[in-house]
Amino acid sequence: MAKLSTAELIDAFKELTLLELSDFVKEFEEVFDVTAAAPAAVVAAAPGAAAPAAVEEQDEFDVVLESAGDKKIQVIKVVREVVSGLGLKEAKELVEAAPKALLEKVDKEAAEAAKEKLEAAGAKIAIK
């Protein structure tokens, strides 16, 4: 097989659909036992050097139920309202398994709204 240059590979990838490219990445990861995820940036500051000035603002939050409090039934009802697709049994199990994440990677407004509803029902909530 002829060796392709980087430019030729890029041109070949440009012709693929996103689904085809995604399948290629998965297969590449399996064959070579690697991950295509970008590594976390490691910043090693020299002694006396200033810390990085700009810190990215968090835009995804997790809503964690710390405890149901005294009004467990009301909390279960609100959990069913906040977390879509839960039946009564699932919501009860989720509340009894506290501390437990109820919502993951939601925007700030949704996290605050869920926290407000759950705290009004008597639950203790943490947003991370």
Side-chain angles (χ1 to χ4, degrees):
M1 181 175 178
K3 186 175 179 180
L4 298 175
S5 71
T6 304
E8 291 170 329
L9 284 171
I10 296 295
D11 288 338
F13 289 138
K14 285 181 182 178
E15 294 178 15
L16 296 176
T17 65
L18 287 177
L19 289 175
E20 292 170 332
L21 191 55
S22 175
D23 290 339
F24 168 78
V25 170
K26 288 176 188 173
E27 177 114 9
F28 186 89
E29 289 175 336
E30 289 174 12
V31 169
F32 294 103
D33 194 27
V34 296
T35 180
V42 177
V43 178
V55 176
E56 277 192 43
E57 185 177 331
Q58 184 177 356
D59 60 349
E60 291 182 338
F61 299 88
D62 295 341
V63 178
V64 179
L65 174 67
E66 296 293 331
S67 73
D70 296 332
K71 300 177 182 179
K72 189 170 161 183
I73 294 173
Q74 284 81 1
V75 172
I76 291 171
K77 289 178 182 178
V78 175
V79 166
R80 286 188 67 201
E81 179 184 325
V82 170
V83 182
S84 62
L86 285 185
L88 183 59
K89 180 181 177 188
E90 293 87 2
K92 181 178 182 262
E93 290 171 353
L94 194 61
V95 169
E96 289 176 346
K100 188 79 174 172
L102 297 178
L103 299 172
E104 295 179 335
K105 297 184 179 178
V106 295
D107 62 17
K108 187 173 185 174
E109 292 81 21
E112 290 294 334
K115 178 181 179 183
E116 189 175 305
K117 286 181 183 179
L118 288 160
E119 285 180 341
K124 293 183 181 175
I125 302 298
I127 295 181
K128 298 181 179 181

